[in-house]
Amino acid sequence: MTGCENSLALKSRFCEEAFKFISLPVDVQDLFSWEEICTHWRGEYAYNAERAQQIERGVEESCKDRSVKRAILRKKYHGERDLLFILDNL
């Protein structure tokens, strides 16, 4: 994780993919999954009105503010440097 912390290029390319393969606690995995789903919906293209509504619903459901959840996890894992790094970079 040190390389991810020190290199913006590495962080933006390799580290995001590497996070998927690190054994994470279930509660951190859940937060990570929601962030991935949100990112997916935000990247979708609305090619018609129906699809635009689907995307809007997807964003509403998956892109809720999870700052409280993230703060709880940060407190729970306060001594786990790698987990804190992941939580800070979701």
Side-chain angles (χ1 to χ4, degrees):
M1 296 309 276
T2 301
C4 293
E5 293 170 348
N6 296 330
S7 170
L8 183 59
L10 188 61
K11 180 179 170 183
S12 65
R13 291 178 154 202
F14 169 75
C15 298
E16 290 179 17
E17 290 299 315
F19 289 163
K20 296 175 187 177
F21 300 103
I22 296 170
S23 179
L24 300 173
V26 173
D27 48 6
V28 177
Q29 286 179 23
D30 290 344
L31 184 66
F32 190 83
S33 293
W34 278 110
E35 293 297 331
E36 282 187 315
I37 294 167
C38 175
T39 299
H40 165 79
W41 281 114
R42 286 186 173 162
E44 286 293 296
Y45 174 69
Y47 46 81
N48 62 31
E50 182 181 347
R51 184 64 177 155
Q53 288 178 341
Q54 289 174 337
I55 294 168
E56 185 177 329
R57 280 192 307 272
V59 168
E60 285 175 11
E61 291 173 10
S62 64
C63 297
K64 296 176 181 171
D65 181 18
R66 283 182 280 285
S67 56
V68 171
K69 175 71 171 174
R70 185 176 282 116
I72 291 168
L73 292 174
R74 283 190 53 71
K75 186 174 183 177
K76 180 178 179 178
Y77 297 110
H78 71 278
E80 300 288 332
R81 189 169 170 243
D82 289 346
L83 289 177
L84 293 175
F85 178 78
I86 290 168
L87 290 169
D88 289 344
N89 289 282
L90 285 178

